[in-house]
Amino acid sequence: MKQCFFAFAGTLAACLSASCIFAAEFIYDEEKVPPYSIPDALLAADGSKVSDVQTWRSKRRPELMNLFETEVYGKMRGKPEKMTFDVLSADKTSLGGRATRKEIMVNFAGIKDGSKMLILLYIPNGLKKPVPAFVGLNFKGNHTVANDPGITLADQWIKNNRDGLMQRQRAGSEARGTQASQWCVEMLMSRGYAFATVYYGDLEPDFDEGWKHGSRAALSKDGAKTQFAADDWGAIGVWSWGLSRVLDYLESDPDIDSKHVGVIGHSRLGKTALWAGVTDERFALVISNNSGCGGAALSKRIFGETVGRINTVFPHWFCGNFKKYNENEKDLTIDQNELIALIAPRPVYVASAVEDKWADPKGEFLAAKHAEPVYTLFGLEGLCVDDMPGVDKPVGKFIGYHIRTGKHDVLPYDWEQYIGFADRHFNYSGGLCWKARALK
Ligand code: GTR
């Protein structure tokens, strides 16, 4: 136990200091951004320009996928053959009778004591089924996402409230609902969306050697003795993989319209949502909330968090090869605009916050902007603006973007935009049905 405390201590200290103590080393002034060029997503490695969807699909997309897999996130695993889903409970009276809460245990190897994750799923009551859904990993345990005493308390690796260090423990009930403002479950229910979440520590506790206690070890031949190859997956890889396994379950649940599932994440879990959306084309819509470096922000701008910094503080997040670009972003042949482009033709939304300079809001906007040519190839409109929009002025059709007032966080304002975006793309008005019913 002690060892684990210390294993996480470095990460935590660095985490807390990331945007403050070392701030002086980092670029926060546009004038100091060195010259850089944004790679053209449509320029193939052989120098030819891609000008049709077929060539994008058969040649350029696989080429970029391969580069992101080998150089940034590491190689993804497939669906485990023996995975099982056990619906542990289904309570139709949760959230004051407005939703059905289900908890589903996913055993990846089909055995109870093996690696597993617990899905918390809310489905709005009183609506015609199936309904579309949002899926996202949570930072602090399923019990923190809503004020609902029926949610099982996490007993995996969680941060303790005193010093924020990660420990294997059962969460205290005082933590219930403490992250509710970031998830807006009641808003989702009232707008007719189901919501599924998993605690990310179920898949891998978030510290350097955390993989030994998670699915990366469980899925390796040598378990915790494994040596990862330079292009093998990191923690973001396994967290993204977990999101795909949630979708596997949702495909089996008749209450869920699994063709209309959006994947969402904030910050490091925003990086995770983007990678899940790229690697699993079953996700119909992708949302990155303040994901920053290694997420939606361009690496080559070196504004705020840098590749060297992220790989030093969080050595377990990306694959080994990504470290080649520490203080050497110019050698990257790809950048994050191409990651966003890999989501095309599916709708993607990138959101920034004014005070979240560490995540480089302008770099996030530019990456979204420079993903646009691939959407154009599909005959779709992207951001529909050339310059960064004003604060709290969302823009975009198939690529949504906003920069909102305030800090690094997910706020009800963000959810309003995401749900509206999903309503438009899913041609859905579950919220209206709900209102009509309430009026009767
Ligand atoms: C920071 C990290 C960011 C971001 C954030 C978070 O410390 O530097 O890349 O992911 O953590 O996940 O909250």
Side-chain angles (χ1 to χ4, degrees), residues 15 18 139 266-268 271 291 293 305 310 314 317 358 408:
C15 196
F139 279 96
H266 168 58
S267 206
R268 70 198 70 185
K271 311 179 207 297
S291 63
C293 180
E305 188 169 27
I310 208 166
F314 307 104
W317 283 3
W358 184 240
H408 185 70

Side-chain angles (χ1 to χ4, degrees), residues 143 153 170-178:
H143 59 287
L153 291 172
R170 175 168 283 268
S173 58
E174 72 286 350
R176 287 190 182 283
T178 46

Side-chain angles (χ1 to χ4, degrees), residues 188-256:
L188 279 159
M189 296 302 112
S190 72
R191 298 287 294 267
Y193 286 84
F195 168 62
T197 189
V198 166
Y199 168 50
Y200 81 141
D202 278 12
L203 291 147
E204 176 164 327
D206 191 0
F207 57 88
D208 193 4
E209 302 253 293
W211 65 272
K212 295 188 172 170
H213 312 278
S215 301
R216 275 201 290 161
L219 293 163
S220 304
K221 273 201 224 94
D222 304 334
K225 289 196 232 90
T226 291
Q227 297 284 324
F228 292 108
D231 63 353
D232 214 345
W233 58 351
I236 289 177
V238 76
W239 294 329
S240 306
W241 175 88
L243 286 164
S244 288
R245 308 292 68 86
V246 177
L247 189 48
D248 293 338
Y249 166 74
L250 295 179
E251 286 187 326
S252 74
D253 190 321
D255 290 338
I256 307 298

Side-chain angles (χ1 to χ4, degrees), residues 255-440:
D255 290 338
I256 307 298
D257 173 1
S258 59
K259 297 268 180 280
H260 292 105
V261 174
V263 61
I264 179 167
H266 168 58
S267 206
R268 70 198 70 185
L269 297 177
K271 311 179 207 297
T272 301
L274 281 170
W275 185 231
V278 166
T279 52
D280 191 338
E281 294 190 81
R282 294 174 302 165
F283 286 114
L285 182 142
V286 183
I287 294 166
S288 149
N289 191 89
N290 305 181
S291 63
C293 180
L298 292 172
S299 301
K300 289 176 184 286
R301 272 171 51 79
I302 322 178
F303 187 104
E305 188 169 27
T306 62
V307 170
R309 176 70 187 176
I310 208 166
N311 279 330
T312 308
V313 178
F314 307 104
H316 54 295
W317 283 3
F318 299 90
C319 73
N321 276 338
F322 197 41
K323 299 188 173 65
K324 292 190 294 194
Y325 307 101
N326 290 358
E327 285 77 51
N328 184 31
E329 288 85 349
K330 64 176 184 343
D331 274 7
L332 270 167
T333 56
I334 44 177
D335 211 335
Q336 302 304 100
N337 60 308
E338 293 171 305
L339 183 80
I340 297 171
L342 286 168
I343 295 164
R346 294 163 296 147
V348 58
Y349 200 114
V350 173
S352 312
V354 174
E355 292 173 51
D356 188 19
K357 291 211 164 44
W358 184 240
D360 186 12
K362 184 169 176 192
E364 295 187 313
F365 171 78
L366 287 173
K369 180 70 194 159
H370 288 265
E372 220 169 36
V374 178
Y375 283 80
T376 309
L377 200 69
F378 280 92
L380 302 171
E381 290 181 274
L383 283 172
C384 308
V385 292
D386 289 329
D387 300 319
M388 230 172 137
V391 176
D392 301 328
K393 299 232 174 332
V395 293
K397 291 210 171 149
F398 276 76
I399 306 177
Y401 179 83
H402 70 247
I403 173 161
R404 75 157 159 73
T405 312
K407 297 191 168 57
H408 185 70
D409 201 352
V410 199
L411 299 181
Y413 175 87
D414 300 306
W415 275 106
E416 285 285 356
Q417 313 318 314
Y418 304 151
I419 294 172
F421 189 67
D423 277 356
R424 290 195 290 284
H425 286 285
F426 295 167
N427 194 15
Y428 185 64
S429 53
L432 293 179
C433 308
W434 182 286
K435 273 182 207 142
R437 191 165 298 102
L439 289 175
K440 275 186 197 161

